[in-house]
Amino acid sequence: MTGVQYSQSGAPLSTTHLPREPLGFFAARGYVKKTGDYPGKRAVAVMTNGAILGGSLVGLVLVTAVAAYFNKTVAGVFFALGAVAIALLLMPFIDRRLFQMRTALTALSTEVLVRGRDFTSGSATAEAERFVTEKYGALDGIVDAHNDVQRIIRKFFEAFDKLEEMLPIDVGPVRRAFDWLVRQVSPRVADLCLSHCLARGLPDIREGSKDAVALVAQNPRAILGTAIRANLTERMFGGFANFVTTGVIGGAAFAIIQAVAGRAAADAGVPSEGATVMGLFAAGFGALLIGLPFGALTSWFIRTAFLEPASLVMLLSRFHQVTANQAVDPQMRQRIEQAASSSGSSGGLGSLFD
């Protein structure tokens, strides 16, 4: 990342290296491979952090079980304190680490898409993390900008609240559907803001993020449509992985438990029909108990390690394609500024994404 000459602040970007057409998922995977060691490091990081979290939970359960043998009250208090420690200390640490890697992916992908770079060797991920930190300080500044973006977008729903008061019909289901959509899309818009600031050499990420949100609002169909498509693609592949893993692991557990439970019931003198029923019930419960967590864990790993990077590249590519030669609309920028203020009204935000 060092030695890169960024564009002047706010200058139009060159479209020489940008893909001519919107990227599909598999084409985006090809661009992810150009980020050098990032795909492998992300997979290892996700696996390691997942193992740490899973190991902490298993260890907590085992220690609690041993403590319960001596004193159930102490065991309960220990379990509660351990769960709080995991929720308040370990999980934020893991989330922060993965977020830091996401900023590195955004920086690397921006270089690949906008400037045609190919990080085929070297420690590109560590360099990207260091570069982003040096440019925008510690992660706190980026996190603040990230939260600003999500707050700006969620301000849009104040218009729905006012609309519900005016209309004689219940618009609650529509609002909930849009609320779900915004929760899925808003973190991705925050990634676009970081990419926008890096690509155009903007020194202030919080102000540059408002420009990026304005550009998104000026091109909602192309950018938000791509974000939704990327999100649904990610969910589809993740859901398929969940289904297959649950089926395979659950099926194996079902067969083993049915055989063991049925034989144990028969050895205990239970009639054959009763032993079969007991074996089926035990096998079905065991298959769900074992298969579902493994399926969810596999889906989370595949989505976080492999699918999310491709989804992000799809969105970054589309954003730079449609905004490369655009200027920020002053009126739209003013609306964004109003929404960013804690005391700002949502006036005009009802049409923000028209």
Side-chain angles (χ1 to χ4, degrees):
M1 300 293 293
T2 57
V4 177
Q5 297 298 319
Y6 282 93
S7 302
Q8 294 298 316
S9 179
L13 297 181
S14 170
T15 58
T16 303
H17 303 289
L18 285 172
R20 298 298 180 188
E21 300 294 332
L23 291 179
F25 180 82
F26 293 104
R29 281 294 305 170
Y31 280 89
V32 173
K33 293 178 181 178
K34 295 182 179 181
T35 59
D37 63 347
Y38 183 85
K41 282 203 169 184
R42 184 180 179 93
V44 171
V46 172
M47 185 181 299
T48 302
N49 288 304
I52 292 172
L53 179 59
S56 300
L57 291 172
V58 171
L60 178 62
V61 171
L62 292 178
V63 173
T64 302
V66 173
Y69 181 79
F70 298 98
N71 190 307
K72 292 184 178 180
T73 302
V74 173
V77 172
F78 178 82
F79 182 82
L81 292 176
V84 170
I86 290 175
L88 298 182
L89 298 177
L90 181 59
M91 292 185 68
F93 170 79
I94 292 175
D95 185 62
R96 188 177 180 86
R97 175 57 187 147
L98 293 179
F99 180 76
Q100 185 178 31
M101 292 202 73
R102 206 165 97 189
T103 63
L105 173 63
T106 301
L108 292 170
S109 300
T110 301
E111 289 295 301
V112 170
L113 290 166
V114 175
R115 298 181 179 86
R117 297 193 66 183
D118 191 341
F119 300 90
T120 55
S121 61
S123 54
T125 302
E127 291 181 13
E129 290 179 358
R130 184 166 55 252
F131 174 82
V132 173
T133 301
E134 290 175 355
K135 187 169 183 64
Y136 296 119
L139 276 183
D140 293 340
I142 299 176
V143 170
D144 288 342
H146 182 95
N147 293 335
D148 280 348
V149 169
Q150 298 198 64
R151 186 171 65 252
I152 290 169
I153 294 176
R154 293 189 68 84
K155 274 277 189 176
F156 169 66
F157 285 99
E158 292 184 8
F160 271 95
D161 294 334
K162 294 179 180 179
L163 183 64
E164 189 170 13
E165 295 174 1
M166 296 170 56
L167 295 178
I169 61 174
D170 181 17
V171 297
V174 177
R175 188 192 190 285
R176 286 191 292 273
F178 272 94
D179 183 61
W180 177 87
L181 178 63
V182 165
R183 282 189 283 107
Q184 305 306 312
V185 170
S186 58
R188 299 175 186 270
V189 176
D191 293 322
L192 294 183
C193 294
L194 175 59
S195 180
H196 172 79
C197 293
L198 289 172
R200 297 179 184 252
L202 303 179
D204 188 335
I205 189 171
R206 298 189 76 165
E207 290 302 312
S209 293
K210 295 171 187 175
D211 288 342
V213 174
L215 289 172
V216 171
Q218 291 170 213
N219 303 274
R221 184 171 300 178
I223 298 173
L224 297 184
T226 301
I228 295 169
R229 180 164 59 93
N231 183 269
L232 292 178
T233 302
E234 187 180 319
R235 287 178 172 273
M236 181 185 69
F237 282 111
F240 179 74
N242 190 340
F243 176 78
V244 171
T245 304
T246 300
V248 172
I249 300 296
F254 183 91
I256 295 172
I257 295 173
Q258 182 186 21
V260 173
R263 187 179 301 111
D267 293 341
V270 179
S272 60
E273 292 184 359
T276 301
V277 172
M278 291 177 62
L280 288 173
F281 272 107
F285 180 76
L288 292 175
L289 189 63
I290 297 173
L292 289 177
F294 269 97
L297 182 62
T298 301
S299 175
W300 173 79
F301 173 74
I302 291 178
R303 287 185 63 179
T304 307
F306 303 108
L307 303 180
E308 186 181 283
S311 297
L312 180 58
V313 169
M314 289 172 63
L315 185 57
L316 291 178
S317 172
R318 191 59 177 151
F319 172 78
H320 289 300
Q321 282 174 343
V322 299
T323 65
N325 297 310
Q326 274 191 1
V328 176
D329 184 343
Q331 293 183 348
M332 186 64 70
R333 184 62 169 77
Q334 184 177 9
R335 293 180 184 176
I336 299 301
E337 192 67 45
Q338 291 175 351
S341 173
S342 59
S343 60
S345 169
S346 65
L349 279 181
S351 61
L352 184 62
F353 296 107
D354 283 348

